[in-house]
Amino acid sequence: MTRVNAPGPGVREVRITHLEMTDPAELVAARAPRVEVSLVRAGRPAPELSRYFYRAVGGDWYWLDRVDWTYDQWLAWVSAPGHELWYAVVDGVPAGYVELDRASGGPGSVEIAYFGLLPAYAGLGLGGWLLTRAIERAWAVEGTTRVWVHTSELDSEAALSNYRARGLRVCGTETELWDTSTPSPGPWRTAR
């Protein structure tokens, strides 16, 4: 996304929805996906992996705020205390990911900072399964009292319904101005 401060050509209002869960009993687990999948945790800070998923998943959904980040900025993000990167693997290929962040949202909060599937893996039941695993992991962190996430109306149409189906409830909305004058670039520059 590219946030802007003033209206102009190609600038539109975008609704941001914030969701939370305050009790692990609220989790509604998804059924098993239609493919065999495993979940892997990045065991050390991997800026290249985080950047890969950010672009591969977010390239179609106006995830633009980190496109121009330097290696050092990516390294700082994945090295921060409380950061975790997990990814789903299908047939030996990364299919989607989640990044958890305990540094934002205050004490006891775990944010699902980034979450999504690579386009080829949508529609296989992986999204609900991966989100279930992410929420379970967030609650497994000692001292967690709240799991939260935000999404925009420009994200996948399945995003908000998946969050709600897992038991996350809307806790706020806001509107931001975003420059959508050019199409989201896809997973890499010139992909479109």
Side-chain angles (χ1 to χ4, degrees), residues 1-2 12 14-16 53-65 67 95 97 114-123 150-160 163 178-180 182-188 192:
M1 82 192 136
T2 304
R12 65 177 273 201
V14 174
R15 183 183 173 122
I16 310 299
F53 279 120
Y54 177 84
R55 290 304 303 269
V57 170
D60 287 330
W61 311 114
Y62 283 95
W63 294 7
L64 302 174
D65 55 326
V67 168
Y97 86 123
Y114 289 93
F115 170 83
L117 302 175
L118 278 75
Y121 296 93
H150 67 271
T151 186
S152 87
E153 66 182 89
L154 298 180
D155 277 337
S156 164
E157 293 176 10
L160 185 57
Y163 295 140
W178 287 15
D179 182 355
T180 59
T182 57
S184 196
W188 55 83
R192 298 277 180 261

Side-chain angles (χ1 to χ4, degrees), residues 98-118:
V98 61
E99 288 188 82
L100 302 176
D101 177 24
R102 294 190 306 255
S104 61
S109 287
V110 178
E111 179 185 12
I112 300 171
Y114 289 93
F115 170 83
L117 302 175
L118 278 75

Side-chain angles (χ1 to χ4, degrees), residues 36-163:
E36 256 189 69
V37 60
S38 60
L39 190 61
V40 177
R41 181 179 180 179
R44 64 179 65 188
E48 298 88 352
L49 187 60
S50 181
R51 183 182 186 280
Y52 160 75
F53 279 120
Y54 177 84
R55 290 304 303 269
V57 170
D60 287 330
W61 311 114
Y62 283 95
W63 294 7
L64 302 174
D65 55 326
R66 297 181 177 194
V67 168
D68 294 323
W69 269 21
T70 65
Y71 179 86
D72 289 339
Q73 287 172 298
W74 283 105
L75 181 60
W77 162 245
V78 298
S79 300
H83 174 273
E84 295 183 15
L85 188 154
W86 294 80
Y87 59 100
V89 177
V90 175
D91 295 328
V93 178
Y97 86 123
V98 61
E99 288 188 82
L100 302 176
D101 177 24
R102 294 190 306 255
S104 61
S109 287
V110 178
E111 179 185 12
I112 300 171
Y114 289 93
F115 170 83
L117 302 175
L118 278 75
Y121 296 93
L124 300 174
L126 289 169
W129 176 87
L130 183 57
L131 184 57
T132 298
R133 301 290 85 77
I135 294 169
E136 288 171 344
R137 173 59 196 146
W139 283 112
V141 173
E142 187 175 339
T144 299
T145 57
R146 176 180 180 244
V147 177
W148 67 285
V149 66
H150 67 271
T151 186
S152 87
E153 66 182 89
L154 298 180
D155 277 337
S156 164
E157 293 176 10
L160 185 57
S161 61
N162 189 19
Y163 295 140

